[in-house]
Amino acid sequence: MCGIIGVVGSADALKILLDGLERLEYRGYDSAGVALVRAGETWRARTATGTASVASLRDECASAPEGFVSGIGHTRWATHGAPETVNAHPHLDCSGHVAIIHNGIVENHGPLQAELEARGHRFTSVTDSEVLAHLIEEGRADGLELLDAVRASLLVVRGAFALAAVDATEPNVIVAARRISPLVVGTAKGATFLASDVPAILDRADSFYAVNDDEIVRLGPEGFRAVDLDGVPVRLRQLAIDWDLETAQKGGHDDYMIKEINEQPDALRTTLLDRRRDDGTITFDELRVADEELRDVRRVVIVAAGTSHHAALVAKYALERWAHVSVEVDISSEYRYRDPVVEVGTLVIAVSQSGETIDTIQAMREAKRRGARVVAVANVVDSSLAREADAVIYTRAGLEVSVASTKAYVAQVAALELLALRLAQLRATLPAPDVEAHLLGLRAVGALVSRALGRRAGVEAVAGALAGAHDFFFIGRHVGYPTALEGALKFKEITYLHAEGYPAGELKHGPLALIEPGVVVVAIATDPALHEKMLSNLSEVKARGASVVAVATDDDDQIDAVADFILRVPATEPLFSPMVDIVPLQLFAYAMARGLGRNVDRPRNLAKTVTVE
Ligand code: AGP
């Protein structure tokens, strides 16, 4: 998704912009640009299509004049208009003095552009964003300060945005605003910064502040001030940031993905830290919902997208088994367009690693509008979802940079299962010793994940043997089903090979027609209660010529009869198995993708934070 950076008041302005854009690369982008501004002069450089990398933007910037202390930079993920230089941000107004960058979508850009053109404005791009530059230009022409010109333009645009504007006739000022898309401000002595997220300015700023929806900030070298849409001053909330730059870097690994896969035991440990009081009560410090309310929940609805949706599916099994509560899991982009029923006692849980996924934020808003209490399960502290929900549980997996989510997934499963155990305590649906045993089991998962990670070489050998295969089916039963979905998603997003996840029992209802020699079936076969059924499913696909890869427990001596390749994992309680069984599937996807020369951290067409619907 688009990334935004800005700086005002530093002799290092251009370097700060380019370094910051590099750290925003993980968000995904197809073009990049910067604008530097000083009295009477706006200088701009942009790159796109094929050459779109911050490295090529650096080359473009080699000819930048000296002496600028302020500017804005942008990585663009195309929504309106092709990923071409002409559509790359920053966009200029007719005078060439105003430059804007924008993350999000201006939904009413069509009529606005028509009106602006009728008033004589010339557009040079095919983007929804450019209207902002011309609207601000009009405000400036009417004598408004840049802050008020931006504010006036926001009163007429609809949609989602984080935006920043500069004007060479009001130099040493950046005005930024936010509605839905994330934005943070950073301060240091003599300079002020702006970014889509903290790592981009982590090494430059000393203090960080979150911009909320419909707040407008004026940044100058001496600091910033903020107002709401009515021009009334507002205070930005200071963020508690405990990341160091090292955390945001690869830490010696080839890429972020393998670094984050290896961080899973730590992610699990941190997620589970301090969650049990001495009397055995499970506690979430950050959860602001009364015990009575949780106890009286009649129905749980979980909304989430992608990998977070798969974690939600796992949670359904745990909530139903342990807390005896009826659970519905919904894809967040579908939830708000139905007529979802929210009755007294409906608890909605919105799950998102980033906390900025627009589909999930909108689903949460719809649920709140209908009267539901919403608990967010988020990884990014102070993210939009976390702020807007009635309560939040943080997964504490740490910064996840790779587009393919790994450590956040296991942390989500752990946090949701912990919540299921808390509900079981409150509703007295599990005897206390059972809750205690499950807590111990949950705490032991990190060590099992470490053991699974230690088998990477074996997984790589299987991936090597299957090089050249194109069609993959991932199948599972019970919680093996969401594990199959997640295995298939991970596999397709980084290998670009066809992969589908299915409940194993569904094969015979259609997909079996596709099974033939050359097809690979990856089966999650770790559940003892369903093992026989899984063996039958695998015999069926083997009889039709498929190659079988089985994720099987160490003690499984029957699997050899049906599997061509076995990915061994330590055995655990079935409801905990998704966190262990996903490890060989992540490593398998990773090894296959690396074998194919894919960019595992930034797979094509995908973005880490999806802030458009
Ligand atoms: C995961 O590997 C994907 N990149 C993607 O499905 C992701 O999980 C989804 O976009 C939801 O993101 P969120 O958890 O930040 O809301």
Side-chain angles (χ1 to χ4, degrees), residues 305-308 351-355 357 403-405 412 489-490 493 610:
T307 288
S308 299
V351 187
S352 172
Q353 184 286 129
S354 62
T357 299
V403 167
S405 183
Q412 285 168 339
L489 177 67
K490 217 85 306 170
E493 73 178 327
V610 185

Side-chain angles (χ1 to χ4, degrees), residues 287-512:
L287 186 67
R288 306 173 296 266
V289 179
D291 282 353
E292 303 71 51
E293 221 177 314
L294 283 179
R295 190 193 53 220
D296 296 341
V297 161
R298 290 195 201 151
R299 192 167 70 104
V300 172
V301 176
I302 317 183
V303 291
T307 288
S308 299
H309 176 250
H310 300 151
L313 287 172
V314 174
K316 175 183 167 75
Y317 292 84
L319 282 157
E320 289 178 348
R321 169 78 53 90
W322 294 334
H324 297 187
V325 63
S326 153
V327 182
E328 197 183 317
V329 179
D330 222 328
I331 296 267
S332 46
S333 57
E334 289 296 317
Y335 183 80
R336 67 188 288 227
Y337 297 110
R338 296 192 287 108
D339 256 326
V341 177
V342 174
E343 301 149 315
V344 176
T346 302
L347 176 72
V348 172
I349 305 176
V351 187
S352 172
Q353 184 286 129
S354 62
E356 301 293 348
T357 299
I358 190 69
D359 291 327
T360 306
I361 289 174
Q362 297 291 28
M364 171 193 64
R365 288 178 179 161
E366 182 62 26
K368 284 185 83 170
R369 211 174 57 75
R370 288 172 182 259
R373 288 285 271 172
V374 180
V375 174
V377 175
N379 192 42
V380 176
V381 175
D382 272 327
S383 53
S384 304
L385 193 80
R387 287 202 304 271
E388 281 189 43
D390 297 306
V392 62
I393 295 174
Y394 286 121
T395 45
R396 304 181 186 157
L399 181 66
E400 190 178 71
V401 173
S402 175
V403 167
S405 183
T406 52
K407 63 176 180 172
Y409 172 71
V410 294
Q412 285 168 339
V413 173
L416 287 163
E417 293 202 338
L418 207 56
L419 179 62
L421 288 174
R422 177 65 188 138
L423 283 177
Q425 274 183 337
L426 288 165
R427 297 158 69 83
T429 47
L430 273 184
D434 288 11
V435 173
E436 204 56 33
H438 288 319
L439 272 178
L440 281 175
L442 201 47
R443 288 226 182 97
V445 170
L448 302 180
V449 167
S450 294
R451 277 169 61 193
L453 285 168
R455 300 170 183 186
R456 182 173 163 191
V459 180
E460 284 170 348
V462 175
L466 290 170
H470 285 98
D471 277 311
F472 292 76
F473 281 84
F474 289 68
I475 60 170
R477 286 173 175 269
H478 193 253
V479 287
Y481 164 48
T483 304
L485 291 177
E486 175 57 10
L489 177 67
K490 217 85 306 170
F491 192 85
K492 75 181 84 170
E493 73 178 327
I494 61 169
T495 64
Y496 315 156
L497 296 174
H498 171 238
E500 286 185 53
Y502 260 98
E506 272 292 293
L507 275 188
K508 56 188 175 298
H509 297 291
L512 205 53

Side-chain angles (χ1 to χ4, degrees), residues 109-127:
H109 67 100
L112 285 175
Q113 179 166 346
E115 289 165 21
L116 285 159
E117 282 176 334
R119 294 199 290 270
H121 291 268
R122 285 169 290 104
F123 280 71
T124 56
S125 74
V126 192
T127 65

